Amino acid sequence: MVGVKMVKALVMIMTVALSLGLGGQWAAAQVHHVVGGDRGWDSSSDVASWSAGRVFRAGDKIWLAYSPAQESIAELQSKEEYESCDVSNPIRMYTDGLDVIPLDGEGIRYFASSKYDNCKNGLTLH
């Protein structure tokens, strides 16, 4: 019969071996977040409700799905630009209709509809 201490030791050894096999990095599941769910990035979506309680981690990806004929999305530099819907100096504009954005590191990023009315009505994500 194997004791509890022996099982814990084996689990620890296997965890370290797995970590070393991954180049010393801990494995984490990458999550793909489709912003707005089934409706995507759309003025009828409730992006705020969709994002409430959702955890975004470094290594995840966010997917922006929208109609490029109706919409484009600005990635903004600051909270002030985000809150005022000032898209005049974006870091980047997304215009393809399906954009995959890797979350490469920690920090807050700001996305807003390039249409002022849509932005003011909540078509934003931070």
Side-chain angles (χ1 to χ4, degrees), residues 40 42 70 75 87 100:
D42 184 82
Q70 303 294 318
E75 183 170 1
V87 298
V100 181

Side-chain angles (χ1 to χ4, degrees), residues 80-96:
E80 292 74 27
E81 289 175 333
Y82 174 80
E83 289 177 344
S84 66
C85 293
D86 178 2
V87 298
S88 63
N89 188 29
I91 295 171
R92 180 168 179 194
M93 291 295 292
Y94 296 94
T95 60
D96 291 339

Side-chain angles (χ1 to χ4, degrees), residues 56-120:
F56 300 93
R57 291 187 172 86
D60 289 356
K61 293 182 180 180
I62 59 172
W63 292 62
L64 302 173
Y66 55 96
S67 170
Q70 303 294 318
E71 185 69 69
S72 60
I73 301 166
E75 183 170 1
L76 303 173
Q77 298 183 45
S78 70
K79 182 178 180 179
E80 292 74 27
E81 289 175 333
Y82 174 80
E83 289 177 344
S84 66
C85 293
D86 178 2
V87 298
S88 63
N89 188 29
I91 295 171
R92 180 168 179 194
M93 291 295 292
Y94 296 94
T95 60
D96 291 339
L98 181 60
D99 298 288
V100 181
I101 303 165
L103 301 178
D104 295 329
E106 292 183 15
I108 299 174
R109 294 175 70 178
Y110 301 97
F111 300 91
S113 170
S114 64
K115 292 187 172 185
Y116 183 80
D117 288 340
N118 286 348
C119 179
K120 280 299 187 184

Side-chain angles (χ1 to χ4, degrees), residues 35 41 47-48 51 82 85 111-113 118-120 122-126:
V35 177
W41 185 277
V47 175
S51 65
Y82 174 80
C85 293
F111 300 91
S113 170
N118 286 348
C119 179
K120 280 299 187 184
L123 195 49
T124 61
L125 176 69
H126 74 279

Side-chain angles (χ1 to χ4, degrees), residues 6 10 14 27 44 49 52 90 96 100 111-112:
M6 179 62 88
L10 287 173
M14 292 180 72
S44 66
S49 290
D96 291 339
V100 181
F111 300 91

